[in-house]
C-alpha cells in the first residue's frame, strides 16, 4: 500500500464542497467593496428605486466584459496588457495602463475612505487618521502576513454579507 505524500494530504484537505463554496463566497464578496457599497447607499438614498432600470442594461455589459477577459486569457494564455503589448502600438498600451492605474488608485482611496467611515461609526476618530491606520494595517498584512492569514481574514469578513439578509428582513418588519 502506497504511503500518502504530504502533497496528496494537502490536496485532499483542500478539496471538496466547503472549499469550493468558500472560494465562491469570497469571490462574490470581492465585488462588494466599500466604495461600491457607498455608491449604492448614496444612490439609493438620493434616487430610491428610480434608477433600478439600469440594472438589466448594465448587467449584460458587465458580464460580457468579464467573460471576454476570461476567454482572452484562456485562449491566448496572456493577460489583457500582454495582448495589447504584443498586438497594438506602444502608446495605446501606456494610455490604457495609465487609465487602469489611475482608476485603481481612485477606487483604492474610495475603499479606504469607506472603511474609515464605517469604523468611524464605532470609533469617533478623525477620518484621515482612520484612513491612515486602515492603510497601514492592510499594508502590514500584505507585507508581513501570510497568504493563509489573509485568506482566513477574507473568509470571516465575507460573512458580514449576511448583514444584507438581516437588513432586508428587518426592513420588511418595519
Amino acid at each position: 500500500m502506497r504511503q500518502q505524500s504530504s502533497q496528496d494530504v494537502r490536496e485532499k484537505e483542500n478539496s471538496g464542497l466547503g472549499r469550493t463554496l468558500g472560494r465562491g463566497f469570497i469571490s462574490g464578496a470581492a465585488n462588494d467593496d466599500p466604495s461600491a457599497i457607498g455608491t449604492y447607499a448614496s444612490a439609493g438614498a438620493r434616487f430610491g428605486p428610480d434608477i433600478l432600470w439600469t440594472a438589466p442594461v448594465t448587467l449584460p455589459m458587465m458580464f460580457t466584459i468579464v467573460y471576454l477577459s476570461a476567454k482572452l486569457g484562456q485562449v491566448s494564455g496572456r493577460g489583457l496588457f500582454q495582448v495589447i503589448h504584443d498586438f497594438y502600438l506602444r502608446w495605446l498600451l501606456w494610455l490604457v495602463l495609465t487609465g487602469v492605474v489611475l482608476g485603481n488608485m481612485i477606487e483604492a482611496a474610495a475603499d479606504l475612505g469607506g472603511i474609515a467611515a464605517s469604523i468611524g461609526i464605532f470609533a469617533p476618530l478623525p477620518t484621515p487618521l482612520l484612513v491612515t491606520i486602515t492603510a497601514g494595517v492592510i499594508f502590514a498584512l500584505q507585507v508581513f502576513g501570510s497568504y493563509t492569514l489573509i485568506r482566513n481574514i477574507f473568509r470571516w469578513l465575507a460573512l458580514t454579507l449576511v448583514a444584507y439578509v438581516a437588513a432586508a428582513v428587518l426592513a420588511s418588519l418595519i
Side-chain angles (χ1 to χ4, degrees), residues 5 15 42 58-59 69 79 87 91 96 100 104 117 135 137 146 150 153:
S5 70
S15 64
S42 297
T58 56
L59 179 65
S69 296
F87 295 103
W91 67 266
V96 173
V100 169
N104 284 342
V137 168
S146 66
I150 294 171
I153 289 170

Side-chain angles (χ1 to χ4, degrees), residues 54-76:
T54 63
V57 174
T58 56
L59 179 65
M61 291 187 281
M62 291 187 290
F63 177 83
T64 302
I65 293 297
V66 171
Y67 177 77
L68 290 176
S69 296
K71 279 296 182 188
L72 178 68
Q74 198 176 31
V75 170
S76 71

Side-chain angles (χ1 to χ4, degrees), residues 44-122:
R46 170 75 169 88
F47 299 108
D50 293 344
I51 57 173
L52 279 177
W53 67 268
T54 63
V57 174
T58 56
L59 179 65
M61 291 187 281
M62 291 187 290
F63 177 83
T64 302
I65 293 297
V66 171
Y67 177 77
L68 290 176
S69 296
K71 279 296 182 188
L72 178 68
Q74 198 176 31
V75 170
S76 71
R78 294 177 271 196
L80 178 63
F81 291 107
Q82 186 65 49
V83 170
I84 294 172
H85 176 268
D86 291 347
F87 295 103
Y88 296 95
L89 297 174
R90 191 172 201 77
W91 67 266
L92 181 63
L93 172 66
W94 283 104
L95 180 69
V96 173
L97 183 61
T98 302
V100 169
V101 168
L102 286 174
N104 284 342
M105 287 173 56
I106 291 168
E107 184 168 354
D111 287 343
L112 288 171
I115 293 168
S118 63
I119 292 172
I121 293 171
F122 301 106

Side-chain angles (χ1 to χ4, degrees), residues 13-28 155:
E13 289 174 354
N14 292 332
S15 64
L17 182 63
R19 180 169 172 81
T20 302
L21 289 176
R23 287 178 169 173
F25 194 59
I26 291 172
S27 297
R155 281 182 179 166

Side-chain angles (χ1 to χ4, degrees), residues 97-171:
L97 183 61
T98 302
V100 169
V101 168
L102 286 174
N104 284 342
M105 287 173 56
I106 291 168
E107 184 168 354
D111 287 343
L112 288 171
I115 293 168
S118 63
I119 292 172
I121 293 171
F122 301 106
L125 297 170
T127 302
L129 176 63
L130 290 173
V131 166
T132 305
I133 292 170
T134 303
V137 168
I138 292 170
F139 180 76
L141 277 172
Q142 290 179 0
V143 172
F144 303 112
S146 66
Y147 170 80
T148 304
L149 172 66
I150 294 171
R151 182 195 64 208
N152 290 336
I153 289 170
F154 283 149
R155 281 182 179 166
W156 283 104
L157 286 176
L159 287 176
T160 60
L161 295 178
V162 175
Y164 286 137
V165 177
V169 169
L170 291 174

